Amino acid sequence: MFKTILSAALAAPTIALATPPQQVAPETVKAIEAVAYDYVDGQLEGDPARVARALHPDLAKRMVKTADRDETLPLRRMTKDELVSLTADGALKTPKDQWDRQVRVVEVDANIAMARVETPWFIDYFHLGRFGDRWVIVNALWHMKPRQAAPAN
């Protein structure tokens, strides 16, 4: 039995891994980063147009919720329209001197990519798609960072 499983495993086709960003054309990485910065900087500026242009019309933005008696695997869900509306309301508007954000392209493979965005308040993982020459965020899974306690006096 073990020999059969081992033989099958060795005969299985090799899976090609996605291309790491360092092996992708620099202009592709910059284009993906630009979309991620439109998303995060647009929110920090309170610029709904900037956020909207970074998002696919059918965006699925989700956050894992810790507990919900009505759902087995609870998620907080948000659409593109909801995110753009929150941005217009200034939900995350922040003075520029307090911006501390990073974008890292994690993988690129053909017309899809994954990126990570971090601010002092949250972390987002994006799935992006390339439509013609344009990259947009299709899915976002995020979580709030724990708030740091104020220093004791």
Side-chain angles (χ1 to χ4, degrees):
M1 172 89 167
F2 178 74
K3 278 179 114 175
T4 305
I5 293 171
L6 182 59
S7 295
L10 293 173
T14 304
I15 297 172
L17 298 176
T19 307
Q22 65 270 21
Q23 296 175 2
V24 175
E27 58 272 10
T28 299
V29 173
K30 286 182 187 198
I32 295 166
E33 289 172 341
V35 170
Y37 279 118
D38 276 344
Y39 168 90
V40 70
D41 291 356
Q43 289 182 65
L44 297 175
E45 292 169 343
D47 183 346
R50 188 170 182 190
V51 172
R53 77 174 175 234
L55 304 175
H56 187 278
D58 197 25
L59 171 77
K61 182 172 171 76
R62 296 181 177 100
M63 176 179 76
V64 174
K65 292 178 9 183
T66 54
D68 187 324
R69 66 175 183 236
D70 297 327
E71 287 186 73
T72 304
L73 302 170
L75 293 171
R76 177 176 177 209
R77 296 166 180 86
M78 193 179 307
T79 65
K80 174 184 179 178
D81 291 340
E82 290 168 321
L83 183 58
V84 170
S85 179
L86 284 169
T87 302
D89 293 343
L92 287 177
K93 194 167 184 175
T94 304
K96 197 162 191 163
D97 65 338
Q98 295 178 25
W99 290 15
D100 180 14
R101 77 280 187 268
Q102 297 175 335
V103 170
R104 182 171 54 93
V105 176
V106 178
E107 284 190 26
V108 179
D109 195 359
N111 291 324
I112 62 174
M114 185 172 58
R116 182 182 190 275
V117 172
E118 183 171 352
T119 73
W121 310 283
F122 58 84
I123 294 175
D124 274 286
Y125 286 91
F126 296 150
H127 290 140
L128 299 97
R130 180 173 45 204
F131 300 87
D133 292 335
R134 181 176 175 215
W135 287 93
V136 293
I137 300 164
V138 176
N139 297 309
L141 185 62
W142 69 285
H143 75 88
M144 295 294 296
K145 288 173 126 180
R147 293 194 177 193
Q148 295 185 6
N153 290 334

